Amino acid sequence: MPLLPETARQVDLLVARAQAEGRGPSLALGVVRDGRLAHLAVAGETPRPDGDLQYRVGSITKTMTAVLVMQQRDAGRLALDDPLDAHLPGTPVGTVTVRHLLGHVSGLQREPDGDWWERAEGTDLDTLLAGLTPDKIAHPPHFVYHYSNLAYGLLGAVLARITGTPWADLLTERLLTPLGMRRTTYHPTEPYAPGYVVHPWHETLREEPRTDTGAMAPAGQLWSTVEDLGRWAAFLADPDPAVLSPATLTEMCAPVVINDLDSWTGGHGLGVELYRVGDRVYVGHGGSMPGYVAGLAVHRPTRTAVVNFANAYGLRGHHIGALGREALTLVLDAEPAAPSPWRPAGPPAADVAALTGRWWWMGGEYEFRVDAAGDLVGGQVGRPVLRFTPEGPDRWRGRSGSQDGEILTVIRDGSGTPTALDIATFVLTRT
């Protein structure tokens, strides 16, 4: 469903202002909702952007590398707590784990040795591994958040060793082809936007190199379009189970580390960045390469996302990722998702119906009901955040809130009447 006209006008204005004030040669932003491109906002003429124009996505590539790793985990070919040495034996940094590398808590330095890999032609995998030294570990593992491009070069090497397939071929086979991302490619494919640096005083453009980053490609090589990256955003909102289990993607979106300990507005999961904006949390990633910046932000509960690109390294006074999150927040505020309609359910079994109503624990009042799925839902009055699913006679498993994973046991008297609910030793009674 397209955006409402007033919402679209505000998004268009936001993009036009960012392009004009930031002096970007071109800027494209797409709003994705329920798996479809709901709106495309463009500004600039160098070149005139559209939904099929390629830009370089930079580190958004890492989200795809991470999904490839999690596919291998789900297939039983690796474990997140495997040390690197289990898959790349003999490196001097082999004690860090796959989980550390995915979440940027390995302590590895940000870049490999040598020329800056974003501007120079990349080396092969053997050269990358040969350049590792013990002092590449700057911090103890899981001691501090420290973003590392090198970590994702090594994850690409792990994937190649496990599967016997080069990272780029594996990406095409396991992600791009199944998701129909035909315009996401290793090298630029016409039509694409040249990348520029804008002279700070002369208002002129200098075209930047388009390098093949070699063994560091899993950290930031790819090119994509608004329409194609929109497909990836839709996948991160609601994954195709044939590609990745929804439960695995939810696991990836749980925080491994908070990256700003003063305000707690950002963090990192297993390959995805986390952004807190007000009461909402978005998942996604930013990206940059010489001449290009890109952003991806997804609000999973509403299956709404924004993807955006510009073909200059930075927009003066604007951060491309912040622009995308601002647009996403604008859309969610202006067009909140309608609640699912309530529908009556059939009567529950008598032994389950007997569990509903008011209960008490430590002076606090609780209330439970049975929903249409047959789950027991409720919690403290005014805060109904608990859900329990049946596991057997008088046994229920917590699926949300503070009791997630815990067991609720029904206690009955001699006549079979429920007298208490024992939730992991917290005993609720009728009085």
Side-chain angles (χ1 to χ4, degrees), residues 68-403:
L68 291 174
V69 170
M70 297 305 287
Q71 286 178 335
Q72 297 303 310
R73 192 286 303 270
D74 287 355
R77 298 189 182 97
L78 62 77
L80 293 184
D81 294 320
D82 284 350
L84 182 63
D85 205 46
H87 304 290
L88 296 176
T91 76
V93 297
T95 58
V96 301
T97 70
V98 173
R99 187 190 307 274
H100 294 150
L101 296 168
L102 285 169
H104 294 293
V105 290
S106 65
L108 285 181
Q109 290 184 353
R110 188 179 65 248
E111 314 295 356
D113 285 338
D115 293 335
W116 185 29
W117 67 276
E118 292 186 0
R119 295 194 72 91
E121 291 297 317
T123 61
D124 60 21
L125 181 55
D126 288 341
T127 304
L128 177 69
L129 296 179
L132 294 175
T133 57
D135 61 6
K136 276 296 177 187
I137 298 181
H139 303 284
H142 225 134
F143 178 73
V144 66
Y145 170 81
H146 189 75
Y147 190 89
S148 177
N149 288 307
L150 175 59
Y152 274 75
L154 295 177
L155 286 170
V158 169
L159 288 167
R161 290 285 175 87
I162 288 176
T163 65
T165 303
W167 172 84
D169 295 339
L170 188 68
L171 177 79
T172 300
E173 173 190 330
R174 300 300 301 272
L175 293 183
L176 303 184
T177 298
L179 296 177
M181 296 172 64
R182 63 175 184 82
R183 287 284 287 146
T184 301
T185 56
Y186 188 94
H187 292 293
T189 305
E190 293 283 4
Y192 66 87
Y196 299 104
V197 60
V198 180
H199 196 287
W201 304 311
H202 301 165
E203 305 282 321
T204 57
L205 301 179
R206 185 187 72 198
E207 191 169 348
E208 291 280 50
R210 293 181 287 275
T211 56
D212 180 342
T213 56
M216 287 294 290
Q221 172 69 26
L222 295 179
W223 298 72
S224 192
T225 67
V226 169
E227 291 180 355
D228 248 29
L229 199 62
R231 292 183 178 91
W232 183 244
F235 173 82
L236 293 180
D238 186 16
D240 179 352
V243 176
L244 189 73
S245 160
T248 296
L249 187 52
T250 297
E251 179 186 3
M252 294 176 68
C253 296
V256 172
V257 64
I258 299 297
N259 62 25
D260 62 336
L261 296 179
D262 292 330
S263 62
W264 286 51
T265 58
H268 216 286
L270 295 170
V272 293
E273 293 178 340
L274 311 173
Y275 318 103
R276 182 171 63 81
V277 180
D279 291 332
R280 299 185 183 106
V281 174
Y282 304 150
V283 305
H285 216 288
S288 65
M289 291 292 282
Y292 300 92
V293 286
L296 164 67
V298 182
H299 187 237
R300 300 192 72 213
T302 59
R303 302 174 71 224
T304 308
V306 163
V307 298
N308 54 332
F309 302 101
N311 61 331
Y313 191 88
L315 297 176
R316 177 172 290 190
H318 293 267
H319 185 284
I320 195 75
L323 172 67
R325 295 190 290 276
E326 184 179 356
L328 179 54
T329 302
L330 187 160
V331 170
L332 293 174
D333 287 347
E335 301 184 22
S340 299
W342 176 84
R343 292 183 175 88
D351 62 334
V352 175
L355 307 181
T356 63
R358 297 297 172 96
W359 296 86
W360 296 82
W361 179 77
M362 294 289 287
E365 190 175 13
Y366 289 71
E367 184 175 70
F368 288 94
R369 60 183 175 84
V370 179
D371 71 2
D375 292 346
L376 194 63
V377 297
Q380 195 159 9
V381 172
R383 292 187 291 170
V385 298
L386 302 180
R387 175 178 293 272
F388 295 88
T389 58
E391 279 201 341
D394 288 339
R395 179 183 171 92
W396 302 69
R397 176 76 67 174
R399 299 299 182 191
S400 67
S402 60
Q403 304 302 335

